[in-house]
């Protein structure tokens, strides 16, 4: 139990590489060029100001929970006859409906980040930005059969495919330097280089697991491999190679700022990444753009551990010798001792070992956008976003209507197809009052208001910047 | 224009509030019930195993009564030594010989004695053949004495001194010399009486055949020293010899000890009265194997007669032998002196109707067994050693080649779940499936009744009286053709599980019949097996709020 609690602490440390927020870049931000941090989603974008400085820790704060399969209302909903809320686990809960929502492989994805330092400025050769961001890439994958196994049990003749059951958690700090410049009249390109410092990591390298159950045999196949880097904790193994204790650095628990800084910029877990972006104006009314984010990896070297679970086991029942039964050795005690040995056998293939250097890649994303300008201040955008996760590729599509008054206001209404859900209505607003820039963006804000129970994902970007040197776009005049 | 925009904004705000309020109930998490209930099902193989026929019978064989033939056919066997005979117990021939001989007054008229002078020694010789008395028709050729005493008494009324010498070339002393003993008559008073005792241990007596008798000759030499006194009528010298407490190291001849064995009686067979169901048990070939060991140089013959089995109802069956009766017990020949000769006698369905006696389910068995010398053997040269013995061991063997039409067992056992009982609250239903592959030629019907403290039946484990374990298929020789596979599912639904806490007794009723409904004999081999698998299909209802 002590070890378990410390594992939780470790996960907590990984998850709190910065602020404990779950978020990913909102698609609606893509077309909000008035927001200084819009270059985060496409490095080719240039803010309309000459200089900005993000308020530390809230430039921006990004919050999102995104589930591939389950909406809020699939998990919590009103009791059919009483004044209460229930879950599918409630006796009156519709378990089958819950299971029907599950896909063969489900995931919860988060791309967490907050900027402790964010500054950008324009020069004659383009726009530069410098950010210090604490991020957490966290993906949890769970097969639908896992829920089926929990809800329905181990049925006769059933095979529960648990392939892909995984957790990829990476807490790291990112120092990025971005540049965006124009090439001619129609092209803008941008690039952002990133230096990554890994705080902690848990990566599922292999995940093949299946359980087939019948009255004749239980067949268990697994080939699972987990890697972890836990620099902030000492993992103590016992003689059998099992984890005996995890000792968290006391200084970290005491929130010693120097220790936190040491772990935050751990040079032994070093990585690099790059974001690329391009904008192209093929005509007066069109803006085509693309960006590729988070091409990168982190090499984990510090305090690396490996957990493997490889087994191929057929349990065809316990062989008993009826002639060995006695008052002291009943079938119950026989079963008990033999099943204990069986569990030990299965657990015996679980190996904890000090691991070797490994690397984990970032969750790469590809954005392809097109904007059609009705007027210079009104445009409609269409965006395709593709997330390249480890076990799956996720596609999102966003259509937006974007309006700007110039410096004072940027406003976006968006509609997105996300996680097989068609009713994501988003909104984004960015206000500039003097040097203060304030923005709030969400891909699901309106749909979350109208149909909150159907929400599968919810995101919100909030940021405050000090902006200076606003200038009108030097766009070519549109021809009406 | 400005007023219109405000109305629009207010309208939009109201719409949003109305819409969101519709969904308010989803987010009143204070009303979130923490009750959880799942109803999973679990199937799992539980146990499996195999019991061979050899294992099964071995389980009940704490005394080592189970064996198997070379081909694996199992039998039950019980052995006992019925006869253990030594020569000490034989009623043999020799003991306490007593002979007398006289030298009478005719000596006084003997011209040699009359012509002799005082101091002259005159010998008077006599010889006498003695017959060795034996019982019956026995004839003793020789005997090597073991112990025993020779007592010689001499009484003389002759008024002469002299010497009485007794000798025999038929008796040799331990040194191999002919027997010779002398007693001095050292009185002239006419009142001499003298005696001598000596051991006969190691002496050897050889006889010759004289008519139907075995005889040996003893020579008497009375040497008188003339004292000058006359020999008057009535004077004599009387010699008596006695051979007492005789034993022998060896004995040769024609030896008829009479009845070696003579036993009769009536033996109760309680197993059939204690277990009346056994009357349905028919054995194809019960056997009695008799093993003999004999170092007696006398061939015997055993007769088993008046063997009658009596059933409870008074029905009887008499044992009849088809061959090999009376039983011949061989003996070592003269060239095998000191050796032991063995023999076997088999009483089975080939040699007798013994199986019919047992299949009568007898409550008692009367018998008479006698044994004596085998008169059919022409060679009448027997011998006995002091170490000779005869042993007869009987092995009662029941090969498991049998059939039974109906064998029922019933037993009532105490049953209680104990103080803690079992928690069946989470169990909706449990199906236990017992799958068997049976090579044993036995069909088993099984029922288990659940009884309360008043022995009232609450429920039964099985539905109906279905066959729980079907018998294997056998051919007309009772040999396995194919195993029989069967799967029985025992359903413990919630109601039945709830009754368990009221159960105080369980009543087991088992019914067995051999393959072919018991109409044919079946054989049980040690490699016949009963394989079983037990699996479970359980349905649960797990509610975290219920205790």
């Amino acid at each position: 139990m002590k070890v378990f609690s410390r594992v939780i602490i470790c996960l907590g440390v990984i998850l709190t590489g910065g602020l404990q927020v779950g978020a990913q870049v909102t698609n609606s931000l893509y077309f909000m060029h008035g927001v200084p941090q819009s270059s985060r989603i496409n490095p080719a974008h240039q803010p309309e100001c000459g200089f900005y400085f993000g308020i530390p820790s809230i430039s921006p704060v990004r919050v999102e929970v995104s589930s591939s399969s389950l909406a809020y209302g699939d998990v919590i909903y009103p009791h059919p006859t009483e004044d209460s809320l229930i879950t599918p686990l409630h006796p009156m809960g519709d378990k089958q409906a819950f299971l029907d929502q599950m896909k063969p492989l489900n995931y919860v994805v988060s791309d967490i980040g907050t900027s402790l330092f964010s500054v950008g400025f324009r020069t004659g050769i383009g726009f530069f930005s410098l950010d210090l961001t604490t991020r957490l890439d966290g993906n949890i994958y769970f097969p639908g059969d896992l829920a089926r196994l929990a809800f329905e049990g181990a049925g006769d003749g059933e095979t529960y495919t648990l392939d892909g059951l995984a957790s990829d958690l990476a807490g790291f700090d990112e120092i990025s330097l971005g540049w965006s410049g124009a090439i001619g009249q129609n092209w803008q390109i941008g690039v952002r280089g990133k230096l990554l410092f890994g705080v902690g990591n848990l990566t599922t390298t292999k995940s093949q697991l299946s359980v087939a159950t019948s009255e004749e045999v239980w067949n268990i196949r697994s080939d699972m491999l987990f890697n972890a880097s836990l620099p902030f904790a000492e993992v103590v193994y016992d003689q059998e190679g099992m984890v005996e204790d995890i000792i968290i650095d006391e200084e970290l628990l005491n929130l010693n700022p120097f220790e936190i800084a040491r772990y935050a910029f751990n040079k032994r877990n070093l990585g690099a990444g790059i974001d690329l972006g391009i904008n192209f104006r093929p005509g007066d009314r069109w803006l085509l753009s693309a960006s590729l984010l988070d091409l990168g990896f982190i090499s984990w070297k510090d305090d690396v551990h490996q957990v493997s679970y490889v087994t191929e086991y057929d349990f065809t029942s316990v062989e008993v010798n009826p002639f060995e039964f006695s008052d002291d050795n009943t079938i119950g005690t026989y079963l008990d001792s033999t099943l204990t040995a069986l569990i030990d056998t299965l657990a015996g293939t679980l190996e904890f070992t000090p691991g070797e250097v490994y690397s984990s890649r970032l969750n790469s994303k590809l954005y392809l956008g097109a904007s059609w300008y009705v007027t210079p201040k009104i445009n409609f955008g269409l965006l395709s976003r593709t997330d390249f996760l480890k076990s799956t590729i996720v596609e999102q599509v966003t259509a937006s209507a974007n309006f700007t008054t110039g410096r004072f206001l940027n406003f976006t209404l968006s509609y997105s197809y996300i996680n097989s859900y068609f009713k994501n209505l988003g909104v984004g607003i960015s206000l500039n009052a003097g040097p203060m820039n304030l923005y709030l963006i969400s891909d699901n804000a309106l749909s979350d208001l109208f149909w909150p129970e159907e929400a599968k994902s919810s995101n919100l970007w909030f940021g405050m910047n000090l902006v200076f040197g606003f200038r009108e776009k030097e766009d070519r005049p549109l021809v009406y | 224009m400005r007023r219109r925009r405000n109305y629009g904004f207010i309208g939009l705000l109201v719409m949003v509030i109305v819409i969101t309020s519709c969904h308010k109930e989803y987010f009143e998490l204070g009303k979130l019930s923490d009750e959880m209930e799942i109803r999973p099902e679990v199937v799992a193989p539980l146990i499996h195993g195999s019991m061979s026929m050899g294992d099964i019978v071995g389980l009940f064989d704490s005394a080592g009564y189970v064996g198997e033939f070379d081909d694996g056919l199992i039998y039950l066997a019980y052995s006992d030594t019925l006869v253990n005979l030594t020569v000490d117990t034989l009623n043999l021939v020799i003991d306490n010989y007593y002979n007398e001989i006289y030298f009478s007054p005719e000596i006084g008229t003997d011209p040699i004695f009359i012509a002799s002078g005082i101091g002259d020694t005159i010998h008077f010789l006599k010889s006498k053949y003695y017959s060795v008395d034996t019982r019956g028709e026995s004839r003793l050729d020789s005997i090597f004495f073991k112990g025993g005493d020779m007592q010689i008494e001499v009484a003389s009324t002759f008024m002469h001194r002299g010497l009485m010498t007794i000798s025999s070339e038929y008796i040799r002393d331990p040194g191999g010399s002919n027997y010779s003993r002398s007693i001095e008559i050292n009185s002239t008073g006419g009142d001499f009486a003298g005696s001598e005792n000596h051991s006969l241990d190691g002496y050897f007596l050889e006889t010759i055949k004289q008519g139907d008798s075995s005889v040996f000759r003893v020579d008497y030499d009375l040497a008188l020293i003339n004292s000058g006194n006359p020999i008057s009528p009535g004077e004599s010298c009387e010699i008596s010899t006695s051979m007492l407490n005789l034993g022998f190291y060896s004995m040769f001849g024609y030896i008829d000890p009479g009845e070696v064995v003579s036993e009769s009686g009536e033996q109760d067979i309680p197993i059939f009265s204690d277990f009346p169901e056994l009357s349905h048990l028919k054995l194809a070939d019960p056997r009695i194997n008799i093993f003999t060991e004999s170092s007696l140089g006398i061939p015997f013959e055993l007769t088993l007669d008046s063997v009658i089995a009596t059933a409870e109802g008074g029905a009887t069956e008499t044992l009849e032998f088809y061959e090999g009766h009376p039983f011949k017990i061989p003996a070592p020949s003269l060239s095998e002196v000191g050796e032991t000769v063995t023999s076997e006698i088999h009483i089975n369905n080939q040699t007798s109707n013994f199986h019919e006696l047992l299949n009568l389910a007898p409550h008692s068995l009367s018998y008479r067994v006698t044994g004596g010398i085998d008169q059919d053997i022409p060679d009448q040269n027997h011998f006995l050693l002091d170490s000779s013995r005869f042993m007869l061991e009987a092995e009662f063997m029941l090969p498991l080649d049998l059939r039974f039409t109906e064998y029922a067992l019933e037993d009532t056992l105490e049953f209680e779940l104990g103080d803690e009982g079992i928690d069946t609250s989470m169990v909706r239903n449990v199906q236990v499936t017992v799958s068997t592959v049976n090579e044993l030629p036995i069909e088993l019907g099984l029922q288990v009744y659940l009884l309360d403290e008043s022995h009232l039946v609450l429920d039964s484990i099985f539905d109906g009286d279905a066959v729980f374990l079907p018998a294997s298929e056998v051919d007309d020789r009772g040999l396995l053709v194919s195993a029989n596979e069967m799967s029985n599912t025992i359903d413990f639904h919630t109601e039945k599980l709830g009754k368990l806490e009221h159960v105080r007794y369980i009543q087991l009723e088992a019914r067995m019949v051999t393959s072919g409904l018991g109409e044919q004999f079946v054989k049980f081999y040690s490699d016949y097996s009963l394989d079983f698998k037990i699996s479970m299909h359980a349905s649960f209802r797990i509610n975290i709020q219920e205790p």
Side-chain angles (χ1 to χ4, degrees), chain A residues 134-150:
Chain A
T134 296
R135 289 181 54 180
L136 171 71
D137 278 9
N139 307 329
I140 295 174
Y141 305 88
F142 54 98
D145 278 0
L146 187 63
R148 198 159 62 92
L149 186 62

Side-chain angles (χ1 to χ4, degrees), chain B residues 439-478:
Chain B
E439 291 183 338
L440 309 182
I442 294 180
E443 174 186 297
L444 172 66
L446 183 65
Q447 183 56 279
V448 181
Y449 293 103
L450 308 177
L451 312 179
D452 67 6
E453 58 188 1
S454 303
H455 289 81
L456 293 175
V457 175
L458 298 175
D459 211 331
S460 63
I461 297 296
F462 301 101
D463 295 329
D465 295 323
V467 173
F468 182 76
L469 186 69
S472 62
E473 185 182 348
V474 298
D475 61 15
D476 53 4
R477 294 176 299 161

Side-chain angles (χ1 to χ4, degrees), chain A residues 72 85 89 154 215 218 317 450, chain B residues 23 33 37 41 43 48 535:
Chain A
Y72 176 86
L85 293 175
L89 290 171
E215 291 196 47
W218 273 39
S317 75
F450 295 150
Chain B
H23 304 284
S33 170
E37 178 180 294
E41 294 188 358
V43 298
H48 71 277
S535 59

Side-chain angles (χ1 to χ4, degrees), chain B residues 105-231:
Chain B
E106 66 269 19
I107 292 175
T109 62
D110 184 274
I112 297 174
F113 181 78
I114 294 173
S116 65
I118 295 173
D120 291 343
T121 300
I122 304 98
H123 290 268
F124 299 93
L125 300 176
K126 274 194 173 181
S127 294
K128 187 173 182 180
Y129 285 90
Y130 295 103
S131 173
V132 178
D133 294 332
T134 58
R135 302 184 192 285
E137 301 297 322
S138 294
R139 184 198 76 246
L140 194 63
D141 294 337
S142 64
I143 182 167
F144 184 28
F145 291 110
K146 179 181 182 181
D149 298 308
M150 173 71 90
Q151 188 178 64
I152 304 171
E153 293 179 346
V154 177
S156 176
T157 57
F158 295 126
M159 290 183 292
H160 304 276
R161 287 185 293 116
L163 187 68
M164 182 66 225
T165 300
I166 304 167
S167 63
S168 176
E169 61 183 12
Y170 294 87
I171 301 174
R172 287 187 289 278
D173 64 16
S177 301
N178 290 342
Y179 181 82
S180 179
R181 287 282 176 173
S182 297
I183 296 176
E184 182 183 2
I185 303 169
N186 54 10
S187 172
T188 59
D191 55 355
F192 175 78
S195 64
E196 180 183 321
N197 284 310
H198 67 86
S199 172
L200 281 175
D201 189 61
Y203 283 74
F204 178 78
L205 170 66
E206 187 176 5
T207 67
I208 57 174
K209 191 171 182 181
Q210 197 172 73
D212 293 332
S213 301
S214 298
V215 298
F216 63 96
R217 195 188 75 226
V218 178
D219 299 321
Y220 300 90
D221 178 2
L222 176 63
L224 287 179
I225 302 171
N226 193 339
S227 63
N229 292 323
I231 294 176

